[in-house]
Amino acid sequence: MTPQDPRLAVVGSLNVDVVVHVARLPQPGETVMGGDVARFAGGKGANQAAAAARLGARTTMVGAVGDDEAGSWLVEELASRGVDVSRVSRRARPTGTALITVDDRGENVIVVAPGANGDVAIPDVGLEEFDVVLAQLETPLAVVDEVARRARSFVLNVAPSASVDPATLARCAVVIANETEAATLDLASLAHCIVTLGARGAVHYHFGREVARASALVVDTVDTVGAGDVFCAAYATQYARGVEPREALRFAAAAGSLATRAPGAQGALPTRTEVESWLARVS
Ligand code: RIB
């Protein structure tokens, strides 16, 4: 990273991901047998921060973990990935935990116990110092509203779905949603909304009108957990660099694809050079 690289703050969750692989996801009321349990560093916020740092943004995480072993581990992990963790606070609640089941096709279902993520507070230090602030919805909505008011430029990943104040959505430079989340939004009211389509890529809407579309890369997918987070981090990083929106979309779709090639939400974070060289190969 250099002083020319953008400064990004990610306000969001840090979770321990407890993951089990199954042949197929269970139906309600059904029990299925799975493989060995695995533990990964996760949380939409931490995944996005780690991905942004890997892509070359000078990244600061704003969040909270519990005063427990899991919290220490998550903070150390994130710091080892080059993220400034000085604004991650410790709370007297358990560290956030996500229970994740992944099937043979790489599809997943996730239940999050937010724990300390529910106690995130926006520190007095100015969010205004960052080129872009990126947030999601695994922290209290009041925090997201406050961030939207204070950020110079705000990118919101509306995941998981929640009822966001229209005033907050109106303050977003860009809203990013998957197809399920987008179904809860009034796209026509949003200046810039990007809808991710998994293996089908992503679409950029301007007040509900499609203005750009990008394909995903064809890769050997192992685990899609966190791919959307890498997409968000990549788009926000390119946006902060002043990259033209169509190119930023293409870059983000490629980065999200590359993130699926290893287990764990942070297991295959691509560098900027890696994304660019894949894009050069397919163009
Ligand atoms: O987006 C993937 C993330 O969602 C996982 O890492 C899990 O922690 C949940 O927050």
Side-chain angles (χ1 to χ4, degrees), residues 13 32 40 68 91 93 97 116 138 199 212 247-248 259:
S13 57
V32 297
F40 298 101
D68 47 23
R91 301 285 184 220
R93 290 178 70 175
T97 302
E138 286 185 339
E247 274 311 304

Side-chain angles (χ1 to χ4, degrees), residues 104-106 217-224 256-263 268 278:
D104 278 349
R105 295 172 305 157
L217 296 175
V218 178
V219 298
D220 290 330
T221 294
V222 172
D223 181 352
T224 59
S257 310
L258 294 173
T260 66
R261 296 173 301 159
W278 270 81

Side-chain angles (χ1 to χ4, degrees), residues 13 15 17 42-44 47 98 100 110 112 138 225-226 229 265:
S13 57
N15 294 331
D17 288 354
K44 294 185 193 304
N47 297 342
I100 302 180
I110 303 178
V112 175
E138 286 185 339
V225 175
D229 297 327

Side-chain angles (χ1 to χ4, degrees), residues 11-14 62-64 89 91 116-123 138-140 143:
V11 179
S13 57
L14 299 95
V62 181
S89 50
R91 301 285 184 220
N117 294 305
D119 283 353
V120 172
I122 301 304
E138 286 185 339
T139 52
V143 168

Side-chain angles (χ1 to χ4, degrees), residues 227-253:
D229 297 327
V230 175
F231 181 100
C232 294
Y235 193 88
T237 301
Q238 296 301 87
Y239 177 77
R241 288 186 194 281
V243 171
E244 189 265 318
R246 188 176 292 269
E247 274 311 304
L249 188 73
R250 195 164 162 261
F251 183 94

Side-chain angles (χ1 to χ4, degrees), residues 4 6 27 33 49 60 71 74 103 125 127 131 134 142 150 160 184 188 191 207 211 219-221 228 243 245 249 264:
Q4 284 72 47
Q27 301 295 313
M33 300 300 281
T60 296
L74 290 179
D103 74 10
V125 289
L127 286 174
D131 298 309
L134 172 62
R150 288 172 49 181
T184 69
F207 291 116
V211 292
V219 298
D220 290 330
T221 294
V243 171
L249 188 73

Side-chain angles (χ1 to χ4, degrees), residues 148-208:
R149 278 192 290 272
R150 288 172 49 181
R152 253 166 46 202
S153 183
F154 183 48
V155 176
L156 179 61
N157 173 212
V158 286
S161 277
S163 185
V164 181
D165 184 344
T168 293
L169 290 174
R171 288 189 179 98
C172 295
V174 184
V175 174
I176 304 177
N178 67 18
E179 288 177 277
T180 309
E181 293 145 6
T184 69
L185 298 172
D186 173 18
L187 291 193
S189 70
L190 300 175
H192 295 282
C193 182
I194 290 170
V195 180
T196 58
L197 309 172
R200 290 177 290 121
V203 187
H204 183 161
Y205 294 96
H206 179 55
F207 291 116

